[in-house]
Amino acid sequence: MERILIFMAATRAAEAEAALRSAADNAFAPRRLSYALSLLEEPTDMEVAALRRLGACQFLVPAADPWMDFQELWQGENYLLMGCPEMRFIRNWELHLLRELRACQPGNEMPACVLTGYLPRPQDPVDAVCPVAAEGFDAEGRLCFHRGTPLRYACQSQRSAFLHPRFCFGPAAFFQQVAHSQGPRFLAAFQQRWDLYTLRRALIYVLSDQSLPPCPVEGEERALQRFEKRFGLRLDTRQLSPMARLGVTGAELTFPVHVPLPVKWQEAAHRALCRANQSRPMCTTAYINLPVTPPNLPEEYVCWFRYLSRIRAVPLACYAEGDKLRQLMGKHPNLMEYKRRYALPLECALRPEEALNYLRLSRLFLLCKTREKYPNQTHYIWLDFGYQRYPVYEGASVNWDAVCQDAICVAMVGGVPDTSMIVVPAGLLDAACQETLALCQEALEAGEPLPWEQDLWLKMMEAHPDWFTPVELPGPRELLSLTMLSREEEFHVLA
């Protein structure tokens, strides 16, 4: 029987007990598991007794780097799971984990592969593991990380450039080879010819998540050059490719997906229910040239737009200009040329850094332009061009009545309006535009610049509370998810 060592770092043993108990209770063969803890504090007698009830459990005090500590507590187990106390496990998790690892490298030989990634949290809108992706560089030139594209419905685990130190599963030989390496461990894995993969299925969850610390990327020059070429980085000039930023190595920044049949049946049933909806909305987005560099790369925005535009139940009009219009030509049926007169009807001098804010203040006026072409809709909805950041089943049902109400529906995230999606009833669109224009004119007449979009919306909500239905949400770009099957409702475990 292949044995697995679960290794966790914690301040006290009691912190890790629930995670270890979850692993033991949900394992197909608990006897294959052994446990090890790297602790900052000496466990009490009660904590030691609780650990003994789990089975083979050792601990090391005081803790250092858990990746360095494991060697002292390893007793010949075939595989090692580097984890954290926030983990919770699904039924038969270890069988699925071993199966996913072997699928990365078919054959009878020991796989030279490792599974890693950001595990799903309770607040995440979808049930999927995310790649460790590069976000950018800090002032000291260190590489910063964030969650990449969630691997929702992925057919197989996906190649990854980077390693998550608090979730990593692979042969014990991997940890022996990279634990004491100089420089980042993901680079050591690359040099030692270990392939990192983001786990495609949510077999383990975390109750909370810590951000990964910035990482100085240093190493042997030739290895760095090969790593940069493979994963699209330029460390000397601090440049990142879309592949590195999204954590997806596919040619079109996507990956093969397979929507399970139970999910398709469930969506079909939900679509039948949604046919009784009273609302008939029309959505609008725009892809506009700006004088300043946007926060994301053009390829990222186009990838996210594809996720949105493929949902058949989302009627979408897209405005674009210049090279962006040519880029989208033939890729979206409802594409229109953007003209300056469609925006906020005010002439004022704008600094380059104010151009994006001006476009955001123009959202309601673009909805008015859409109304001219589609005059019989009950609601007009703004959606940012980069709104949809993960794959959605193209046949997904959309219950528009959940957000299309008698008032303007906008999400509130941390007390701030999230205007990436705004749902405006047709009867309130003119009034909202007039109020926006009045507040902007008031600022200009006072010799001030145009108000920042979020400040304007807060003023409007304060002046006209009866116009709005604010919805508290944990994160940005989540309002549309309220119209679809939730993570709890969907047959996601079968995905």
Side-chain angles (χ1 to χ4, degrees), residues 51-166:
L51 294 177
R52 285 175 178 167
R53 285 195 292 271
L54 288 170
C57 186
Q58 304 180 82
F59 57 87
L60 184 67
V61 184
D65 180 351
W67 283 69
M68 308 279 279
D69 289 345
F70 98 91
Q71 194 75 17
E72 297 188 39
L73 302 178
W74 178 64
Q75 293 187 318
E77 291 87 352
N78 309 82
Y79 297 93
L80 192 146
L81 170 62
M82 188 66 70
C84 61
E86 294 77 22
M87 284 180 166
R88 298 297 183 268
F89 298 76
I90 73 165
R91 181 70 60 185
N92 300 334
W93 62 269
E94 90 281 18
L95 290 185
H96 296 302
L97 208 54
L98 287 167
R99 187 177 298 123
E100 291 296 334
L101 186 66
R102 293 185 185 116
C104 295
Q105 184 172 316
N108 296 323
E109 70 276 8
M110 177 77 77
C113 306
V114 178
L115 296 172
T116 188
Y118 284 97
L119 297 173
R121 306 162 295 183
Q123 68 267 31
D124 292 338
V126 292
D127 192 58
V129 184
C130 296
V132 180
E135 183 177 26
F137 297 87
D138 65 8
E140 299 176 22
R142 297 176 300 179
L143 194 58
C144 301
F145 303 101
H146 68 158
R147 287 176 174 257
T149 302
L151 298 190
R152 192 186 195 195
Y153 305 138
C155 292
Q156 61 265 339
S157 298
Q158 297 294 303
R159 281 294 301 270
S160 175
F162 308 110
L163 188 69
H164 198 299
R166 289 163 62 83

Side-chain angles (χ1 to χ4, degrees), residues 145-350:
F145 303 101
H146 68 158
R147 287 176 174 257
T149 302
L151 298 190
R152 192 186 195 195
Y153 305 138
C155 292
Q156 61 265 339
S157 298
Q158 297 294 303
R159 281 294 301 270
S160 175
F162 308 110
L163 188 69
H164 198 299
R166 289 163 62 83
F167 167 57
C168 187
F169 176 76
F174 166 76
F175 296 88
Q176 293 169 331
Q177 291 180 26
V178 306
H180 298 275
S181 61
Q182 298 296 319
R185 292 192 174 103
F186 62 79
L187 186 59
F190 180 78
Q191 288 180 279
Q192 299 286 342
R193 300 186 182 279
W194 287 92
D195 294 328
L196 306 182
Y197 284 83
T198 304
L199 178 64
R200 74 173 182 97
R201 292 186 59 191
L203 305 175
I204 308 170
Y205 298 82
V206 287
L207 301 179
S208 61
D209 194 23
Q210 299 177 6
S211 59
L212 296 184
C215 174
V217 184
E218 301 170 349
E220 193 266 323
E221 185 176 353
R222 290 184 61 186
L224 276 175
Q225 289 176 348
R226 288 190 294 109
F227 184 82
E228 289 176 336
K229 184 177 180 180
R230 175 66 182 83
F231 294 108
L233 298 88
R234 286 293 301 276
L235 299 173
D236 54 344
T237 57
R238 301 189 183 184
Q239 290 180 309
L240 296 174
S241 68
M243 179 172 62
R245 283 184 51 82
L246 296 176
V248 177
T249 58
E252 293 189 351
L253 304 177
T254 57
F255 45 86
V257 299
H258 172 71
V259 181
L261 277 177
V263 172
K264 291 183 177 181
W265 294 333
Q266 187 182 25
E267 291 286 7
H270 199 238
R271 281 197 304 273
L273 295 175
C274 291
R275 291 195 188 105
N277 281 183
Q278 299 300 309
S279 50
R280 300 183 312 280
M282 187 66 195
C283 303
T284 299
T285 192
Y287 194 31
I288 309 299
N289 291 313
L290 295 171
V292 293
T293 304
N296 300 99
L297 299 173
E299 295 89 346
E300 294 178 86
Y301 287 113
V302 173
C303 175
W304 296 329
F305 176 69
R306 284 199 301 265
Y307 289 146
L308 179 64
S309 62
R310 286 175 180 172
I311 307 173
R312 292 194 291 265
V314 177
L316 183 64
C318 178
Y319 295 89
E321 64 176 348
D323 60 326
K324 290 178 167 51
L325 180 66
R326 292 187 292 273
Q327 186 179 2
L328 296 180
M329 200 72 72
K331 296 181 179 178
H332 186 62
N334 203 3
L335 187 64
M336 294 170 284
E337 185 177 5
Y338 171 81
K339 298 184 185 299
R340 171 65 177 78
R341 64 176 183 271
Y342 300 165
L344 176 69
L346 282 177
E347 292 294 337
C348 57
L350 291 175

Side-chain angles (χ1 to χ4, degrees), residues 464-476:
H464 305 280
D466 55 314
W467 287 7
F468 292 89
T469 302
V471 180
E472 295 286 343
L473 290 174

Side-chain angles (χ1 to χ4, degrees), residues 323-393:
D323 60 326
K324 290 178 167 51
L325 180 66
R326 292 187 292 273
Q327 186 179 2
L328 296 180
M329 200 72 72
K331 296 181 179 178
H332 186 62
N334 203 3
L335 187 64
M336 294 170 284
E337 185 177 5
Y338 171 81
K339 298 184 185 299
R340 171 65 177 78
R341 64 176 183 271
Y342 300 165
L344 176 69
L346 282 177
E347 292 294 337
C348 57
L350 291 175
R351 299 191 304 271
E353 60 270 20
E354 295 174 323
L356 181 57
N357 183 57
Y358 175 80
L359 176 61
R360 288 172 172 166
L361 291 170
S362 302
R363 288 166 164 156
L364 292 176
F365 299 91
L366 279 172
L367 293 184
C368 284
K369 189 63 184 176
T370 300
R371 184 178 58 182
E372 292 179 13
K373 188 172 182 181
Y374 303 95
N376 299 319
Q377 309 307 117
T378 60
H379 294 74
Y380 295 89
I381 301 175
W382 172 266
L383 285 165
D384 278 358
F385 190 76
Y387 185 91
Q388 187 61 44
R389 305 275 171 113
Y390 53 82
V392 176
Y393 171 41

Side-chain angles (χ1 to χ4, degrees), residues 394-449:
E394 61 184 22
S397 55
V398 178
N399 177 21
W400 287 116
D401 283 357
V403 294
C404 292
Q405 303 168 16
D406 294 332
I408 299 172
C409 186
V410 64
M412 300 293 289
V413 180
V416 178
D418 171 27
T419 55
S420 60
M421 179 176 175
I422 310 166
V423 184
V424 186
L428 275 176
L429 184 55
D430 287 334
C433 286
Q434 291 168 7
E435 185 71 7
T436 300
L437 186 58
L439 290 171
C440 291
Q441 286 176 326
E442 180 183 316
L444 294 178
E445 290 169 0
E448 300 172 354

